[in-house]
Amino acid sequence: LKFHFFQVMSATMLKLVAVGVLPTALSSVATPSCSANVNAASESLVNVSAQIGQIQEFCSLRRIWDRCHTDVNALTSDLDVAAGALKVALNECSPKDCVSAAQTLATSVDTANTRAVRVGADCGTNLLKCEADVAALSWNTVVTETTAAVSACAVSPTPVPTPPPPTPPSMPRDILVSGRNFVDGTGASVVLTGTNVVMKGAPWIPAVNGTERCGYTGDPSCKTFNAADAQHLRDRGYSMIRLAVPWAGGQPVQGAGLDPDFTARLEAILDLCHQFNLAVLLDVHQDAVGTALCGEGVPMWVSQLAVPNQIGLPITPLQSTPSGCGVTALGAWAEYKGDPEYNIKNGCCRQVNQDTWGQLGTTLMAQDTMLYLFSDEGSALYANYVGLLASVAANYPAAFGIELMNEPPTVSLFRGQMYDLWKACYDRVRLVSENLAVGVADPQDFSLNLGVTGLSDDQLTWLRSGDHLFYAFHYYGNPSTPAAAVSNALAIGADWNMPVFLTEFGGYGTGCTTANAAFTSGVGFAYWHYD
């Protein structure tokens, strides 16, 4: 007998599903306010149908099934009618139809309410328990939500679906990705070579004024890249620069757009490079994650969202502790806490971000910040910034691509989450440009062949078929030879059907060996660092 009761309940649920009431999708003609209210009413009806089973079972235990059976069957029938009327309201959201549906639905639910009261009165020996079950059905809520739904539908005009914005026409680029190659405007394959132009503090992007090239001004940290610099690179046979565009410089405060001065500097250098036939790769640069970690990259306001309880506290673990800045030196680390220039004002930071800055990337704060960037909230913020950069770059033919992050300070364990972030950035770029190249990268400054480790089938499909993608890698000694590093990168490029680019390596010491290993394999390079 008990099994039969659950069969009745299952039949009721099937009726609700059959008429399309379960709140999984709304009619395209429903107004937003109507849709929201109808969804709420639909949810209540589904809850009611589940609670009927409790009453059915309770009635059976009191051995008065005949009367209970009649009342519950009537109740389920009324629910069926109410569900049908709800579907009408959902699919025909015009004023006349919605008013009619309102009357039908209100009548049906009112009848269902009466039936529920009768169930409570006829349940038998434990009246309090039965009445409690009936009260849990919340019929008044259903009536209120249904009335609100139809009212909203009746007074709101039926919206015309807005088509998605068209993809803007693509500006011709000086350099494009085509298959596994970089090509010029004629379609001929090119091997780009050049240097890194990176400013790790304000004003973040060099000015283009002046007549002397950087290095001849007497200032080792000169803040210009002008026509003399561009001509110098061209005279030496170079064809590109990798230009840092750190997040802290582009969005120093949380807001909708790029910083105006930052934007003006970026536009000026892109225009200058086009005049000298220098291609430009934008580099979303970071070292040690960001300002709050004594490095540069994510702005302070992002760290305040990602790791609010760690800012201004001792950064741990450190392999080499700065003098006077141990884990108990709370006052020293708290100096200038929260300041957008904490990395250059705090005394502990000034010690740790010199020759030993590399250890900052493995600290708890660094890894927690990266996990935030992999979250939905953090990913949206990061992808938005990349999209803002792409909106500028899309208008300048010298800009051929964006490298999504310099030496991502994470580990292969989170490789899949990192590539989800890359995909989110890629999608934002494609909203403003069809042909701007997007550079993906693996963790840190290694060049290891990680193959498909940690990547899903969907991610691999995107990597192998996405338009204008390339694989960026760096080389600073791991693996043991530059040739092995280039070989590892080429293996990934072959699997993913995209070109590879050595976007950073030490241009000192054995730098020429590294450059030759790349160039002779048809791989472009950008040495560190132009000055």
Side-chain angles (χ1 to χ4, degrees):
L1 187 61
K2 185 174 180 180
F3 175 73
H4 175 67
F5 302 148
F6 283 107
Q7 284 182 317
V8 174
M9 179 188 173
S10 298
T12 303
M13 290 295 290
L14 287 173
K15 290 177 183 178
L16 289 170
V17 174
V19 296
V21 171
L22 290 175
T24 56
L26 291 174
S27 167
S28 61
V29 298
T31 64
S33 53
C34 177
S35 299
N37 285 291
V38 170
N39 250 352
S42 174
E43 184 70 41
S44 293
L45 287 175
V46 173
N47 291 338
V48 164
S49 68
Q51 291 164 338
I52 289 173
Q54 296 178 357
I55 292 181
Q56 291 173 334
E57 183 175 1
F58 185 80
C59 287
S60 71
L61 295 176
R62 295 295 171 265
R63 300 184 182 281
I64 51 173
W65 169 245
D66 288 342
R67 183 58 185 269
C68 239
H69 181 275
T70 300
D71 288 328
V72 172
N73 265 359
L75 184 61
T76 58
S77 176
D78 291 332
L79 278 173
D80 195 14
V81 174
L86 186 58
K87 183 182 180 184
V88 172
L90 197 64
N91 291 328
E92 300 181 4
C93 278
S94 66
K96 180 179 178 180
D97 292 330
C98 278
V99 170
S100 175
Q103 294 170 344
T104 302
L105 187 56
T107 300
S108 298
V109 174
D110 184 60
T111 302
N113 186 26
T114 301
R115 299 295 189 190
V117 173
R118 289 179 58 188
V119 171
D122 295 332
C123 265
T125 58
N126 194 338
L127 184 60
L128 292 178
K129 171 63 176 172
C130 198
E131 288 179 343
D133 286 340
V134 173
L137 295 176
S138 302
W139 293 107
N140 289 337
T141 301
V142 176
V143 174
T144 300
E145 290 172 341
T146 303
T147 302
V150 178
S151 175
C153 184
V155 300
S156 302
T158 301
V160 177
T162 303
T167 303
S170 297
M171 171 173 285
R173 308 233 149 261
D174 295 343
I175 299 294
L176 293 167
V177 168
S178 178
R180 293 188 57 201
N181 298 296
F182 291 99
V183 299
D184 62 18
T186 69
S189 296
V190 295
V191 178
L192 297 169
T193 62
T195 187
N196 278 262
V197 177
V198 177
M199 293 185 68
K200 296 187 178 184
W204 302 101
I205 294 179
V208 298
N209 61 290
T211 58
E212 289 189 309
R213 72 175 183 87
C214 183
Y216 282 94
T217 63
D219 181 358
S221 59
C222 60
K223 298 179 180 179
T224 60
F225 184 89
N226 55 35
D229 297 289
Q231 186 62 58
H232 174 67
L233 289 177
R234 294 300 295 155
D235 290 345
R236 299 188 66 181
Y238 293 123
S239 55
M240 62 82 63
I241 64 169
R242 178 179 181 245
L243 177 68
V245 283
W247 195 359
Q251 273 190 310
V253 295
Q254 188 172 7
L258 292 176
D259 177 78
D261 180 67
F262 181 92
T263 303
R265 287 172 174 268
L266 175 57
E267 292 175 334
I269 205 167
L270 290 175
D271 188 53
L272 171 72
C273 287
H274 181 60
Q275 295 174 36
F276 284 85
N277 199 25
L278 280 174
V280 180
L281 173 63
L282 301 187
D283 156 35
V284 188
H285 203 88
Q286 69 77 35
D287 287 306
V289 181
T291 303
L293 286 95
C294 302
E296 97 287 334
V298 303
M300 180 61 75
W301 64 266
V302 173
S303 294
Q304 289 168 339
L305 294 172
V307 287
N309 298 323
Q310 299 182 49
I311 295 174
L313 293 177
I315 297 175
T316 60
L318 293 176
Q319 301 164 9
S320 175
T321 303
S323 176
C325 297
V327 294
T328 60
L330 300 180
W333 284 103
E335 188 179 13
Y336 298 105
K337 170 184 176 180
D339 192 303
E341 294 186 335
Y342 177 79
N343 56 340
I344 60 175
K345 290 181 177 179
N346 179 271
C348 295
C349 277
R350 288 198 302 272
Q351 292 186 67
V352 78
N353 64 16
Q354 298 303 309
D355 293 339
T356 61
W357 69 266
Q359 62 183 321
L360 292 167
T362 58
T363 60
L364 294 176
M365 190 189 299
Q367 294 307 303
D368 287 346
T369 303
M370 290 302 296
L371 289 177
Y372 173 77
L373 295 183
F374 298 156
S375 72
D376 290 344
E377 180 178 286
S379 174
L381 292 173
Y382 195 87
N384 177 66
Y385 177 62
V386 171
L388 293 173
L389 292 173
S391 296
V392 176
N395 298 317
Y396 290 85
F400 73 90
I402 300 178
E403 185 177 346
L404 296 178
M405 185 181 290
N406 175 68
E407 299 173 2
T410 187
V411 294
S412 57
L413 176 65
F414 301 116
R415 192 184 187 211
Q417 292 168 266
M418 183 177 69
Y419 273 81
D420 282 340
L421 175 59
W422 297 167
K423 179 60 164 60
C425 293
Y426 173 87
D427 290 341
R428 290 303 295 263
V429 172
R430 288 293 165 262
L431 290 177
V432 296
S433 174
E434 291 182 332
N435 60 10
L436 194 65
V438 176
V440 299
D442 275 322
Q444 304 183 47
D445 60 358
F446 311 144
S447 178
L448 306 177
N449 184 0
L450 297 179
V452 299
T453 301
L455 302 181
S456 68
D457 290 342
D458 286 345
Q459 289 171 328
L460 291 170
T461 297
W462 162 61
L463 290 167
R464 290 165 177 162
S465 62
D467 293 329
H468 301 284
L469 282 165
F470 72 94
Y471 182 75
F473 70 105
H474 292 184
Y475 181 67
Y476 285 99
N478 190 359
S480 59
T481 67
V486 173
S487 177
N488 287 338
L490 285 171
I492 291 177
D495 184 24
W496 295 354
N497 190 36
M498 63 178 68
V500 304
F501 201 120
L502 176 57
T503 56
E504 188 182 312
F505 66 97
Y508 38 79
T510 59
C512 289
T513 302
T514 303
N516 288 335
F519 190 78
T520 56
S521 297
V523 174
F525 65 79
Y527 71 85
W528 183 271
H529 173 271
Y530 182 70
D531 56 21

Coordinates of all heavy atoms in Angstrom, one line a residue, residues 1 4-5 54-73 117-131:
L1 N 0.8 -1.2 0.0 CA 0.0 0.0 0.0 C 0.9 1.3 0.0 O 0.6 2.2 -0.7 CB -0.9 0.0 1.2 CG -2.0 1.1 1.3 CD1 -2.9 1.0 0.1 CD2 -2.8 1.0 2.6
H4 N 2.2 2.2 -3.3 CA 1.2 2.8 -4.2 C 1.1 4.3 -3.9 O 0.9 5.1 -4.9 CB -0.2 2.1 -3.9 CG -1.3 2.8 -4.7 ND1 -1.4 2.8 -6.0 CD2 -2.4 3.5 -4.2 CE1 -2.5 3.4 -6.4 NE2 -3.1 3.9 -5.3
F5 N 1.2 4.7 -2.7 CA 1.2 6.1 -2.4 C 2.3 6.9 -3.1 O 2.1 8.0 -3.6 CB 1.3 6.4 -0.9 CG 0.2 5.7 -0.1 CD1 0.5 5.2 1.2 CD2 -1.1 5.5 -0.6 CE1 -0.5 4.6 1.9 CE2 -2.0 4.8 0.1 CZ -1.7 4.4 1.4
Q54 N 4.2 13.4 1.8 CA 4.2 13.2 3.2 C 2.8 13.0 3.7 O 2.6 12.2 4.6 CB 4.9 14.5 3.9 CG 6.3 14.6 3.5 CD 6.9 15.9 4.1 OE1 6.2 16.7 4.8 NE2 8.2 16.1 3.9
I55 N 1.9 13.8 3.2 CA 0.5 13.7 3.6 C -0.1 12.3 3.2 O -0.8 11.7 4.0 CB -0.4 14.8 3.0 CG1 0.1 16.1 3.7 CG2 -1.8 14.6 3.3 CD1 -0.7 17.3 3.2
Q56 N 0.3 11.9 2.0 CA -0.2 10.6 1.6 C 0.2 9.5 2.5 O -0.5 8.6 2.9 CB 0.3 10.3 0.1 CG -0.4 11.2 -0.9 CD 0.2 11.0 -2.3 OE1 1.4 10.6 -2.4 NE2 -0.5 11.3 -3.3
E57 N 1.5 9.5 2.8 CA 2.0 8.5 3.7 C 1.4 8.5 5.1 O 1.1 7.5 5.7 CB 3.6 8.6 3.8 CG 4.2 7.5 4.6 CD 5.7 7.5 4.6 OE1 6.3 8.4 4.0 OE2 6.3 6.7 5.2
F58 N 1.3 9.7 5.6 CA 0.7 9.9 6.9 C -0.8 9.4 7.0 O -1.2 8.7 7.9 CB 0.7 11.4 7.3 CG 0.2 11.6 8.7 CD1 1.0 11.4 9.8 CD2 -1.1 12.0 9.0 CE1 0.6 11.6 11.1 CE2 -1.5 12.2 10.3 CZ -0.7 12.0 11.3
C59 N -1.5 9.7 5.9 CA -2.9 9.2 5.9 C -3.0 7.7 5.9 O -3.8 7.1 6.5 CB -3.6 9.7 4.6 SG -4.0 11.5 4.7
S60 N -2.0 7.0 5.2 CA -2.0 5.6 5.1 C -1.8 5.0 6.5 O -2.4 3.9 6.8 CB -1.0 5.1 4.1 OG 0.3 5.3 4.6
L61 N -1.0 5.6 7.3 CA -0.7 5.0 8.6 C -1.9 5.1 9.5 O -2.0 4.4 10.4 CB 0.5 5.8 9.2 CG 1.8 5.6 8.5 CD1 2.9 6.5 9.1 CD2 2.3 4.1 8.5
R62 N -2.8 6.1 9.2 CA -4.0 6.2 10.1 C -5.1 5.3 9.5 O -6.2 5.3 10.0 CB -4.5 7.6 10.1 CG -3.4 8.6 10.8 CD -3.3 8.2 12.2 NE -2.2 9.0 12.9 CZ -1.0 8.5 13.0 NH1 -0.7 7.3 12.6 NH2 -0.1 9.2 13.6
R63 N -4.8 4.5 8.5 CA -5.8 3.6 7.9 C -7.1 4.2 7.5 O -8.2 3.6 7.7 CB -6.0 2.4 8.9 CG -4.7 1.7 9.2 CD -5.0 0.5 10.2 NE -3.8 -0.2 10.5 CZ -3.1 -1.0 9.7 NH1 -3.6 -1.3 8.5 NH2 -2.0 -1.6 10.1
I64 N -7.1 5.4 7.0 CA -8.3 6.1 6.5 C -8.0 6.5 5.1 O -8.3 7.6 4.7 CB -8.7 7.2 7.4 CG1 -7.5 8.2 7.6 CG2 -9.3 6.8 8.7 CD1 -7.9 9.5 8.3
W65 N -7.4 5.6 4.3 CA -6.9 5.9 3.0 C -8.1 6.3 2.1 O -7.9 7.2 1.2 CB -6.2 4.8 2.4 CG -5.9 4.9 0.9 CD1 -6.4 4.2 -0.1 CD2 -5.1 5.9 0.3 NE1 -5.9 4.6 -1.3 CE2 -5.2 5.7 -1.1 CE3 -4.4 7.0 0.8 CZ2 -4.5 6.5 -2.0 CZ3 -3.7 7.8 -0.1 CH2 -3.8 7.6 -1.5
D66 N -9.3 5.7 2.2 CA -10.3 6.0 1.2 C -10.6 7.5 1.2 O -10.7 8.1 0.1 CB -11.6 5.2 1.6 CG -11.4 3.7 1.3 OD1 -10.5 3.4 0.5 OD2 -12.2 3.0 1.9
R67 N -10.8 8.1 2.3 CA -11.2 9.5 2.3 C -9.9 10.4 1.9 O -10.0 11.3 1.2 CB -11.7 9.9 3.7 CG -12.1 11.4 3.8 CD -13.2 11.7 2.8 NE -13.6 13.1 2.7 CZ -14.5 13.6 3.5 NH1 -15.2 12.9 4.3 NH2 -14.8 14.9 3.4
C68 N -8.8 10.0 2.5 CA -7.6 10.7 2.2 C -7.2 10.6 0.7 O -6.8 11.6 0.1 CB -6.4 10.2 3.0 SG -5.6 11.4 4.0
H69 N -7.5 9.4 0.1 CA -7.2 9.2 -1.3 C -8.0 10.1 -2.2 O -7.5 10.7 -3.1 CB -7.5 7.7 -1.6 CG -7.3 7.3 -3.0 ND1 -8.2 7.6 -4.0 CD2 -6.2 6.8 -3.6 CE1 -7.7 7.1 -5.2 NE2 -6.5 6.6 -5.0
T70 N -9.3 10.3 -1.8 CA -10.1 11.2 -2.6 C -9.7 12.6 -2.5 O -9.6 13.3 -3.5 CB -11.6 11.1 -2.0 OG1 -12.0 9.8 -2.2 CG2 -12.5 12.0 -2.8
D71 N -9.3 13.1 -1.3 CA -8.9 14.5 -1.1 C -7.6 14.7 -1.8 O -7.4 15.8 -2.5 CB -8.8 14.8 0.3 CG -10.2 14.9 1.0 OD1 -11.1 15.4 0.3 OD2 -10.3 14.6 2.2
V72 N -6.6 13.8 -1.7 CA -5.3 14.0 -2.3 C -5.4 14.0 -3.8 O -4.7 14.7 -4.5 CB -4.3 13.0 -1.7 CG1 -3.0 13.1 -2.5 CG2 -4.1 13.3 -0.2
N73 N -6.2 13.0 -4.3 CA -6.3 13.0 -5.8 C -6.9 14.3 -6.3 O -6.5 14.8 -7.3 CB -7.2 11.8 -6.2 CG -6.4 10.6 -6.5 OD1 -5.2 10.6 -6.5 ND2 -7.1 9.5 -6.8
V117 N -7.2 22.0 3.1 CA -7.9 22.1 4.4 C -8.7 20.9 4.8 O -8.7 20.4 5.9 CB -8.8 23.4 4.5 CG1 -9.6 23.4 5.7 CG2 -7.9 24.6 4.3
R118 N -9.4 20.3 3.8 CA -10.2 19.1 4.0 C -9.3 17.9 4.3 O -9.7 17.1 5.2 CB -11.0 18.8 2.7 CG -12.2 19.8 2.5 CD -12.9 19.5 1.2 NE -13.5 18.1 1.3 CZ -14.1 17.5 0.3 NH1 -14.1 18.2 -0.9 NH2 -14.5 16.3 0.4
V119 N -8.1 17.8 3.7 CA -7.2 16.8 4.1 C -6.9 16.9 5.5 O -6.8 15.9 6.3 CB -5.9 16.8 3.2 CG1 -4.9 15.9 3.7 CG2 -6.3 16.5 1.7
G120 N -6.6 18.1 6.0 CA -6.2 18.3 7.4 C -7.4 17.9 8.3 O -7.1 17.3 9.4
A121 N -8.6 18.2 7.9 CA -9.7 17.9 8.8 C -10.1 16.4 8.8 O -10.6 15.9 9.8 CB -11.0 18.7 8.3
D122 N -9.7 15.7 7.8 CA -10.1 14.3 7.7 C -9.0 13.3 7.9 O -9.1 12.1 7.7 CB -10.7 14.0 6.3 CG -11.9 14.8 6.0 OD1 -12.6 15.1 7.0 OD2 -12.2 15.1 4.9
C123 N -7.8 13.8 8.4 CA -6.7 12.9 8.5 C -6.8 11.8 9.6 O -6.1 10.8 9.6 CB -5.4 13.7 8.7 SG -4.5 14.0 7.2
G124 N -7.6 12.1 10.6 CA -7.8 11.0 11.6 C -7.3 11.4 13.0 O -7.6 12.5 13.5
T125 N -6.6 10.5 13.6 CA -6.4 10.5 15.0 C -5.4 11.6 15.4 O -5.5 12.1 16.6 CB -5.9 9.2 15.5 OG1 -4.7 8.8 14.8 CG2 -7.0 8.1 15.3
N126 N -4.5 11.9 14.6 CA -3.4 12.9 15.0 C -3.6 14.2 14.2 O -2.9 14.5 13.2 CB -2.0 12.4 14.7 CG -1.0 13.2 15.4 OD1 -1.2 14.4 15.8 ND2 0.2 12.6 15.7
L127 N -4.7 14.9 14.6 CA -5.1 16.1 13.8 C -4.0 17.2 13.8 O -3.7 17.8 12.8 CB -6.3 16.7 14.4 CG -7.0 17.9 13.7 CD1 -7.3 17.5 12.3 CD2 -8.2 18.4 14.4
L128 N -3.3 17.4 14.9 CA -2.2 18.4 15.0 C -1.1 18.1 14.0 O -0.6 19.0 13.3 CB -1.6 18.5 16.4 CG -2.6 19.0 17.5 CD1 -1.9 19.0 18.8 CD2 -3.1 20.4 17.1
K129 N -0.7 16.8 13.9 CA 0.3 16.5 12.9 C -0.1 16.7 11.5 O 0.6 17.3 10.7 CB 0.7 15.0 13.1 CG 1.6 14.4 12.1 CD 3.0 15.1 12.0 CE 3.9 14.5 11.0 NZ 5.2 15.2 10.8
C130 N -1.3 16.3 11.2 CA -1.8 16.5 9.9 C -2.0 18.0 9.5 O -1.6 18.4 8.4 CB -3.2 15.8 9.7 SG -3.6 15.5 8.0
E131 N -2.5 18.8 10.4 CA -2.6 20.2 10.1 C -1.2 20.9 9.9 O -1.1 21.8 9.1 CB -3.4 20.9 11.3 CG -4.9 20.5 11.3 CD -5.6 21.2 12.4 OE1 -4.9 21.6 13.4 OE2 -6.8 21.3 12.4

